[in-house]
Amino acid sequence: MTVSISISAVRRNCCLYILMGMEAWKILLLLLCGHVLSIQVFGVPGTCPADVGSKCEDDDWKGEFFPDIPKIKYEGPSSKNPLSFKWYNAEEEILGKKMKDWMRFSVAFWHTFRGTGGDPFGAQTKFWPWEDGTNSLAMAKRRMRANFEFINKLGVDRWCFHDRDIAPDGKTIEETNANLDEVVALAKELQGTKIRPLWGTAQLFLHPRFMHGAATSSEVGVYAYAAAQVKKAMEATHYLGGENYVFWGGREGYQTLLNTDMGRELDHMARFLEAAVAYKKKIGFNGTLLIEPKPQEPTKHQYDWDVATTANFLRKYGIIDEFKINIECNHATLSGHSCHHELETARINGLLGNIDANTGDPQIGWDTDQFLTDIGEATLVMLSVVRNGGLAPGGFNFDAKLRRESTDVEDLFIAHISGMDTLARGLRNVAKLIEDGSLEALVRKRYSSFESEIGAQIEAGKADFEMLEKKAMEWGEPKVPSAKQELAEMIFQAAL
Amino acid sequence: MTVSISISAVRRNCCLYILMGMEAWKILLLLLCGHVLSIQVFGVPGTCPADVGSKCEDDDWKGEFFPDIPKIKYEGPSSKNPLSFKWYNAEEEILGKKMKDWMRFSVAFWHTFRGTGGDPFGAQTKFWPWEDGTNSLAMAKRRMRANFEFINKLGVDRWCFHDRDIAPDGKTIEETNANLDEVVALAKELQGTKIRPLWGTAQLFLHPRFMHGAATSSEVGVYAYAAAQVKKAMEATHYLGGENYVFWGGREGYQTLLNTDMGRELDHMARFLEAAVAYKKKIGFNGTLLIEPKPQEPTKHQYDWDVATTANFLRKYGIIDEFKINIECNHATLSGHSCHHELETARINGLLGNIDANTGDPQIGWDTDQFLTDIGEATLVMLSVVRNGGLAPGGFNFDAKLRRESTDVEDLFIAHISGMDTLARGLRNVAKLIEDGSLEALVRKRYSSFESEIGAQIEAGKADFEMLEKKAMEWGEPKVPSAKQELAEMIFQAAL
Amino acid sequence: MTVSISISAVRRNCCLYILMGMEAWKILLLLLCGHVLSIQVFGVPGTCPADVGSKCEDDDWKGEFFPDIPKIKYEGPSSKNPLSFKWYNAEEEILGKKMKDWMRFSVAFWHTFRGTGGDPFGAQTKFWPWEDGTNSLAMAKRRMRANFEFINKLGVDRWCFHDRDIAPDGKTIEETNANLDEVVALAKELQGTKIRPLWGTAQLFLHPRFMHGAATSSEVGVYAYAAAQVKKAMEATHYLGGENYVFWGGREGYQTLLNTDMGRELDHMARFLEAAVAYKKKIGFNGTLLIEPKPQEPTKHQYDWDVATTANFLRKYGIIDEFKINIECNHATLSGHSCHHELETARINGLLGNIDANTGDPQIGWDTDQFLTDIGEATLVMLSVVRNGGLAPGGFNFDAKLRRESTDVEDLFIAHISGMDTLARGLRNVAKLIEDGSLEALVRKRYSSFESEIGAQIEAGKADFEMLEKKAMEWGEPKVPSAKQELAEMIFQAAL
Amino acid sequence: MTVSISISAVRRNCCLYILMGMEAWKILLLLLCGHVLSIQVFGVPGTCPADVGSKCEDDDWKGEFFPDIPKIKYEGPSSKNPLSFKWYNAEEEILGKKMKDWMRFSVAFWHTFRGTGGDPFGAQTKFWPWEDGTNSLAMAKRRMRANFEFINKLGVDRWCFHDRDIAPDGKTIEETNANLDEVVALAKELQGTKIRPLWGTAQLFLHPRFMHGAATSSEVGVYAYAAAQVKKAMEATHYLGGENYVFWGGREGYQTLLNTDMGRELDHMARFLEAAVAYKKKIGFNGTLLIEPKPQEPTKHQYDWDVATTANFLRKYGIIDEFKINIECNHATLSGHSCHHELETARINGLLGNIDANTGDPQIGWDTDQFLTDIGEATLVMLSVVRNGGLAPGGFNFDAKLRRESTDVEDLFIAHISGMDTLARGLRNVAKLIEDGSLEALVRKRYSSFESEIGAQIEAGKADFEMLEKKAMEWGEPKVPSAKQELAEMIFQAAL
């Protein structure tokens, strides 16, 4: 089974140092520690490695995980305290809803608790004090406790997970499922009544068995394995009260068309999703199924390239009504679109389901998954959300990670606060824009010529070419006014 | 002297309409010259300016347009003659069809006869000897004669046109249509029995009236105008025996979402295309309607971004069965895909209708419309064409232009010969690949695990998650063989 | 001669409609109007075409050019008046200097007065009321008057020009120079004592003679022609009291290396610039010579790719002390860098001379030359300017244009106000950042380990590898703290 | 079952240090195994796992590493044998030199022997039979034997290495150096008289201590550590008879300018390189020092962005004569240039020292390090090499890796053969181009106007602006011929 490195007997004086240098959420610390394990993490400045010498076998890491971090409070824009909200005031009402109900923020377990800081050229840089260097079940549970302390201190109500980042692989599917069950049971307990998953998903990309894809693998055995895994992950999400279930096809694509039967692979993907829909209904899971587009990385081309490509796929196979889309801003820009474009495309196709809130670097051609701090961008994002009437049962999941070189525990809080404040600021700006009304008026005026009889006929599909030709000849050269683009930008910027 | 066009006497009733310095095919020197026009084009090095001093009033430019260019013949790969084919042998049979029937080459009137060499920073550089510097009807007819001499010498049977590049605008739609009729009548005569348009289209992007779009303009009058224009262009294409009709929505998009109602614009576009379908049927035009995707340029975002986006649009509005797609390779790469990817995507969606054969520059972010000379690329393109069973009633249109600095008449021939030979070489390579069989075998072997009972069940949509889970548990860890990507590349390269 | 279209007699009933579809500042309306010209510009919605029927022969367009536009005043952030400054308050002191002295704003004549709205796929869209459709000397003078009214109403003291956009080409160099002299004399008069050029330059890219380059043309005659033109443009700039002279090598590059001797071309460019330096000194022009990098467009590759490439060139040929660099933000992003990166690279090389203030579109691969409205970006730009102690004798030139579809006269003002306010807001934010001090402290702390004896030795070049190895062995594993990147971003954003 | 590495007994004094899942050559399995280590790699389909159960303590892996692979021979273009050369014939003379002397091929130890197939979203996929899953000294030695068997079977004479990929880290610098010494001694022995390193280098990017850079780290202790490491790596390279020493600054750059003092960091980098030069001279190492530019990845911006940026840095600090440049094609394209452009830029700056032969994917924004199989590209590369008179003492290093999904041992051979054949084909094409002479003639003719007296004066720096203006006026409008770009491409393609 699995990715794991199982070390059945690692004895005394053994300094175990495992760096799995994949990008954040894709990374596992895969040591199954059987009996005795003495770990010595060489002092890494900026983190405070815990004395975990004898803790491998149990999960009771007493005491707080974040002893120096208070519950984060709203202190307003003039506060200089990095560990406070300046713009996000959860209970404050904006545009008829509480901020927290617009936002529905979620913490991504993988980035925050499994991110190592590794990159394609570098080993792990993050050594959190509560980590013992193993991928044991005990460690998985301890980590889950840290997750809930983090969530509570941050003041959010939702979290997201991949099956394999919360519980370790076992040697067989059965054993792996048992591991998952154990951790999920703990999470259920820790969730209490208020907290629940925004969404869950199955990790179908890290393990080498998925190297040719999961639903689109050239191997029938992998297809079956993936089905078994999604089945279980959907059950776990359902059990935890998850509101959505996500499909991200990181390996559903190709490296070169020379060795690929793209048509057949897409057919397989459709069959897989149909089976997922059927299973969802069978178990009574009412959450939304979400597809998360990404154009490339890790493969050269991923089949769920962008919103339009995904919508075409769903329509072609007749399953468009069963899915919505989870839009990640950095994925949007990698596909050549602004995030706002992708959000609007999803919205007008009736597919806007959830947002993975992050941002990329405008000069960089891969997924950097940074926390969004651009207030103009955040305002555009919130504009789509408000137009959509909110995102529920979706929300904002922070699919974002600390940069490799940010290695303090407090950086985890600073980054999330910054991301939450930025979106909150965006929402406040949208409220200003709407109250001001100038931008909306500008757009309404632009299309006002369609508020005519002939406009109505066109929009009703009743204007044929002959009638239109007659009109065009009758009217002569049409008047075409300025688009007032710089004015629109001036109005927009004034609201920031 | 030089570059300049000095017009010493422009007399009565002369509507002078000059469009300069746009990129090649988008540029027109639109002088409507009523009666007398004396133009003096000063000697431009590299072209051989004709004595056209007194020729404005008639269209009988006697003698050859290309006196130094013979009919281009196949001389085989060892020929050093630039004005011969080394690989394209029209009547030779390859893979069961004549090369000319695989290729169905077409000359693009706009690039070849209306391209000026202008670019966003530079004025016209091309001064063909037969041009008199006007956009008169007489000039339009003379140019049409040059077109057919070119086509005949090159040995192709098809051409493509935009309504406005073959005939000048008039003051009213009626006058404009009359101009078009006159030129079209001449073209019909010159076509003879063998030559016909591969496709025709309406130019809905150059004139300022279309600055906000045509079918997606915010102005209802522009929508009507565009309808009248498409109606007429479709009639002209039908009259000339055109096999396809193309929609390229160069202005159907936006510069900024701030002033745009994207949903409403897309609805308008759908209404427009529905009306086009209805009109096509009404007049009994049996040619294929083609949509040509392009992601951007001239606008920031065009609605027909790529094949998948276009397919989604067609499906959403229920008109997928009425259209196919015209793929331009340089548009493909601008949208982040290889040309081969777009061709395959169209093919497996049943939408591959025509190819605008050109190529871009891998370092450049705009449409350079160069002639394709990369034999690897050409082989991949032909692979899709062969898999599609050919393109008919579509074909290969050379939507490609000389670079600004290539200013000799013979450069027009050299470029087309090079493009035709490159694709011919691609076809020959595909034949080698197919005869060799190794690549196909490699792919077949890759998916062989689906040639099983369970594979058949999956493909038939009969494998649910419970059954698959059971199988996965039963089978244990799946075997995942090498993708043999480097071997596939070695086999491919050996065929070049 | 040259690029121009000279129409010596255009008589009655002649509707002259000239569309020159090049990008804004690169475009000329080149009609030399000799005697009588009756022009009728068809009503274009959104502009108010003047009755200029009989005005071709003189330059006295009485009355205001912008009758509806008042002098623009500072009204503060709460103003809703688009024709007021909300952030730019010229006389207000910030960080020890008046805002106007930090900014030194300049209007770019070409974009504002010669921009047509044309693009590679579209004809002219802008028809300003004062334009008569000609490129006559009279029109050139009238346009110059409009320029100074614009400058005065906007409240700036500087302007920039290309020789060929302020005065029309003649048939010979002598005639062209005479035209230029005449317009320059008028400009000198209109400038008064307060206004002067921020910089002047020679337009060496539009005319077809420059299609292979100017200083790097393969033709020796073009090299000489370019020298003559720069000589004259430098004289004109000097005469007008210009503070800088710019070289932008839009055609100094290649389309394909296959036909190019890059080494030789670069040698020629060096010889040319050396001659320019010598001539500058000879005539006593004390302005700064500036090179403006751009990576590509119109050519595939331009030799002055970015700041570092330009610096390497200047160093290689030993002329680094004679030049500074003019950085355009949109050029920076096209070369793969942030604008801030290019500014800082220039600054630390001692080369930051001037800024062409504009911005591009993050999804677009060509130069869109939009007005900058992003306040985060503006803050980073101003950070470099403040660190540089200002830009004088350079300044901010608005090398920015209205989008094609913005066609009202007032749009010209709105765009400039927006650009000025954005940079002013950036300056105010920098003041906040500096007063707060947190960001600077964070950076200082990061490098504090070099404030040691060994750090000083290293920086003095006195630490050899043997000594360093000894230290490294002695010290053991170094401590490496968090880079606090998310904190830095939080601090930065709080200042916006 | 699978991928997993289960370590059943790791005994005393065992410092286990596992780095996984980074991109190929950057990855180390760093197990320092003190005494006993029993590893069991479970069967992974497509590889043939060896029985290495009890081999941990010694390095004598008897028998062949590649028993099924014969010595690769030249069989000519008609051979269908994947394990033969079709174009590379080492002893054949082309253009006056043996192919092997033009090529000077080198195997990159890291990609070939330390590449795991991991990527940012995926774990290791490659499990070579000779690997025991450890990073022990014993394993390092066994792996070195595999390296030399590979080199010998492939028929090349050179290899390249990073210090840390050939020998494991120790707990102290001293211990690490001792490990290195031991492996280097073995390599020296295995090299024999014919084989030697093309270059060596120090790996200054993988370990977390280098997360802020090595020579440009904000920590003085890291600077010293890096100095110690380079000192040792240079000694090892010298000892092995290495012909060059490379600096690749993968962490010398920044993630955000907000926390970075770029000027100071660049000063530090210069001091570091100066010390390297001094040390090289001190120990009598006569190899060339090479800098390898890369624009980005892993950081947002790397200081050695491209050839021109690197040259500017070297000139600024006065050390240009001490270095040459190692150009990697995929790095070239990531910086916005063609590989040929970077090669030519280096060549005309006198800096072309070595080539890291690989290629990227035109649609992908990161370093894919694929083997070059494009024959057009290879021909351009060889054109630069031939113009440079060869690369010695540099050569072609295959800084290229199998794709993640290519997991058979034979894939390693196939990929190298394909890369070698492609470059060999390029060289043969260059010979054809040179023999044909048309392309060279075309270029010579283009610049022929400079073969005049005035041309000579210009090139000698004796033509001032006044003289040139006089000439320009005298000559009138220059003649500007066609650039014949499509003809140049036709000639080029005919040679492929």
Side-chain angles (χ1 to χ4, degrees), chain D residues 262-330:
Chain D
M262 182 160 61
R264 195 171 189 180
E265 292 199 358
L266 285 163
D267 287 347
H268 291 182
M269 192 158 90
R271 294 295 87 80
F272 192 91
L273 292 177
E274 288 162 3
V277 170
Y279 191 68
K280 166 195 157 166
K281 292 180 179 171
K282 179 159 190 183
I283 63 172
F285 174 54
N286 292 321
T288 306
L289 300 184
L290 296 164
I291 295 185
E292 178 178 329
K294 188 179 182 189
Q296 55 194 193
E297 201 199 24
T299 73
K300 171 196 168 66
H301 177 92
Q302 273 137 244
Y303 295 133
D304 298 325
W305 178 273
D306 62 4
V307 171
T309 305
T310 305
N312 178 50
F313 170 84
L314 294 172
R315 290 186 203 280
K316 182 179 175 190
Y317 292 100
I319 48 178
I320 185 92
D321 296 334
E322 306 290 350
F323 291 86
K324 294 210 170 195
I325 291 182
N326 177 31
I327 290 172
E328 180 173 326
C329 287
N330 203 160

Side-chain angles (χ1 to χ4, degrees), chain D residues 223-408:
Chain D
Y223 182 99
Y225 196 106
Q229 194 174 329
V230 169
K231 176 176 174 292
K232 181 69 185 175
M234 204 181 271
E235 290 162 6
T237 304
H238 185 33
Y239 174 74
L240 288 166
E243 296 171 287
N244 305 270
Y245 182 89
V246 161
F247 294 85
W248 175 61
R251 300 276 170 203
E252 318 292 17
Y254 61 80
Q255 296 288 19
T256 168
L257 275 172
L258 287 179
N259 74 349
T260 304
D261 185 338
M262 182 160 61
R264 195 171 189 180
E265 292 199 358
L266 285 163
D267 287 347
H268 291 182
M269 192 158 90
R271 294 295 87 80
F272 192 91
L273 292 177
E274 288 162 3
V277 170
Y279 191 68
K280 166 195 157 166
K281 292 180 179 171
K282 179 159 190 183
I283 63 172
F285 174 54
N286 292 321
T288 306
L289 300 184
L290 296 164
I291 295 185
E292 178 178 329
K294 188 179 182 189
Q296 55 194 193
E297 201 199 24
T299 73
K300 171 196 168 66
H301 177 92
Q302 273 137 244
Y303 295 133
D304 298 325
W305 178 273
D306 62 4
V307 171
T309 305
T310 305
N312 178 50
F313 170 84
L314 294 172
R315 290 186 203 280
K316 182 179 175 190
Y317 292 100
I319 48 178
I320 185 92
D321 296 334
E322 306 290 350
F323 291 86
K324 294 210 170 195
I325 291 182
N326 177 31
I327 290 172
E328 180 173 326
C329 287
N330 203 160
H331 295 179
T333 49
L334 287 173
S335 68
H337 309 298
S338 68
C339 185
H340 189 41
H341 172 83
E342 283 292 86
L343 294 171
E344 287 296 290
T345 299
R347 191 180 62 79
I348 66 183
N349 277 274
L351 295 170
L352 179 50
N354 194 80
I355 296 176
D356 267 15
N358 66 15
T359 196
D361 183 296
Q363 274 81 44
I364 284 184
W366 63 88
D367 203 12
T368 61
D369 281 345
Q370 293 166 231
F371 283 84
L372 179 65
T373 61
D374 183 299
I375 54 179
E377 180 82 355
T379 306
L380 291 170
V381 166
M382 291 312 303
L383 203 55
S384 288
V385 170
V386 170
R387 281 181 188 155
N388 204 53
L391 292 168
F396 279 101
N397 174 47
F398 281 110
D399 199 348
K401 67 184 184 205
L402 292 184
R403 289 194 193 75
R404 167 178 171 78
E405 304 83 4
S406 297
T407 53
D408 290 346

Side-chain angles (χ1 to χ4, degrees), chain D residues 37-245:
Chain D
L37 181 66
S38 163
I39 294 281
Q40 181 185 351
V41 179
F42 292 108
V44 175
T47 66
C48 14
D51 173 15
V52 291
S54 58
K55 297 276 166 80
C56 189
E57 284 166 289
D58 60 10
D59 63 353
D60 51 3
W61 206 67
K62 306 294 191 244
E64 278 182 286
F65 293 87
F66 310 100
D68 302 330
I69 312 282
K71 169 115 179 134
I72 310 302
K73 292 192 190 122
Y74 174 70
E75 298 183 2
S78 63
S79 170
K80 296 279 181 193
N81 175 11
L83 294 174
S84 75
F85 296 117
K86 286 108 208 152
W87 305 90
Y88 179 62
N89 190 8
E91 302 293 329
E92 185 180 339
E93 203 167 290
I94 308 255
L95 293 172
K97 253 188 237 188
K98 287 186 178 171
M99 290 188 95
K100 69 176 186 183
D101 294 328
W102 279 116
M103 297 312 192
R104 298 171 57 82
F105 286 128
S106 161
V107 169
F109 191 87
W110 53 97
H111 277 313
T112 305
F113 292 96
R114 305 311 302 270
T116 66
D119 70 21
F121 299 81
Q124 181 173 14
T125 59
K126 300 188 202 309
F127 300 88
W128 309 129
W130 55 86
E131 290 287 337
D132 63 8
T134 73
N135 192 28
S136 67
L137 248 182
M139 187 59 239
K141 290 183 191 170
R142 188 195 301 160
R143 205 181 279 125
M144 190 57 78
R145 292 184 189 278
N147 177 47
F148 282 96
E149 186 183 324
F150 184 83
I151 286 175
N152 278 306
K153 287 197 164 168
L154 197 61
V156 306
D157 299 338
R158 283 166 186 83
W159 64 299
C160 291
F161 67 95
H162 297 69
D163 50 1
R164 293 298 168 267
D165 62 62
I166 59 171
D169 263 313
K171 282 183 198 143
T172 61
I173 295 180
E174 290 87 340
E175 196 179 311
T176 303
N177 287 353
N179 289 345
L180 186 60
D181 286 341
E182 206 166 323
V183 178
V184 163
L186 173 64
K188 177 85 169 175
E189 177 196 326
L190 296 169
Q191 281 191 161
T193 54
K194 208 184 62 169
I195 300 175
R196 58 200 311 198
L198 181 63
W199 49 261
T201 190
Q203 188 207 62
L204 302 172
F205 45 87
L206 188 137
H207 195 281
R209 81 171 67 90
F210 297 121
M211 72 180 178
H212 304 311
T216 65
S217 173
S218 45
E219 294 303 312
V220 75
V222 174
Y223 182 99
Y225 196 106
Q229 194 174 329
V230 169
K231 176 176 174 292
K232 181 69 185 175
M234 204 181 271
E235 290 162 6
T237 304
H238 185 33
Y239 174 74
L240 288 166
E243 296 171 287
N244 305 270
Y245 182 89

Side-chain angles (χ1 to χ4, degrees), chain A residues 67-85:
Chain A
D68 302 330
I69 311 283
K71 168 114 180 137
I72 310 302
K73 292 193 189 120
Y74 174 69
E75 298 183 2
S78 62
S79 169
K80 295 280 182 193
N81 175 10
L83 295 173
S84 75
F85 296 117

Side-chain angles (χ1 to χ4, degrees), chain C residues 96-230:
Chain C
K97 252 189 236 190
K98 288 185 178 174
M99 289 188 96
K100 71 176 184 183
D101 295 329
W102 279 116
M103 297 312 191
R104 300 171 56 83
F105 285 129
S106 162
V107 169
F109 191 88
W110 53 97
H111 278 312
T112 306
F113 291 97
R114 304 312 300 272
T116 66
D119 69 21
F121 299 81
Q124 180 174 12
T125 59
K126 300 188 201 307
F127 300 90
W128 308 129
W130 56 86
E131 289 287 337
D132 64 7
T134 73
N135 192 28
S136 67
L137 246 183
M139 187 59 239
K141 290 184 188 169
R142 188 195 298 161
R143 207 181 278 125
M144 192 55 81
R145 291 184 189 280
N147 177 47
F148 282 97
E149 187 183 323
F150 184 83
I151 285 176
N152 278 304
K153 287 195 164 167
L154 197 61
V156 305
D157 298 338
R158 280 165 189 84
W159 64 298
C160 290
F161 67 96
H162 297 70
D163 51 2
R164 292 298 169 267
D165 62 61
I166 61 171
D169 265 311
K171 284 184 198 139
T172 60
I173 296 181
E174 291 86 340
E175 197 180 309
T176 303
N177 286 353
N179 287 346
L180 186 61
D181 286 341
E182 207 167 320
V183 179
V184 162
L186 174 64
K188 176 86 169 174
E189 178 196 325
L190 295 170
Q191 282 192 160
T193 54
K194 208 184 62 170
I195 300 175
R196 57 200 313 197
L198 179 64
W199 50 261
T201 190
Q203 187 206 63
L204 301 172
F205 46 87
L206 188 137
H207 195 283
R209 81 172 67 89
F210 297 120
M211 72 181 179
H212 305 310
T216 65
S217 173
S218 45
E219 293 303 312
V220 76
V222 175
Y223 182 99
Y225 196 106
Q229 194 174 329
V230 169

Side-chain angles (χ1 to χ4, degrees), chain C residues 441-459:
Chain C
L442 183 155
V443 177
R444 204 168 39 235
K445 187 176 163 205
R446 245 196 118 202
Y447 295 90
S448 57
S449 73
F450 274 91
E451 307 304 323
S452 58
E453 200 194 322
I454 187 84
Q457 280 179 284
I458 288 168
E459 296 193 337

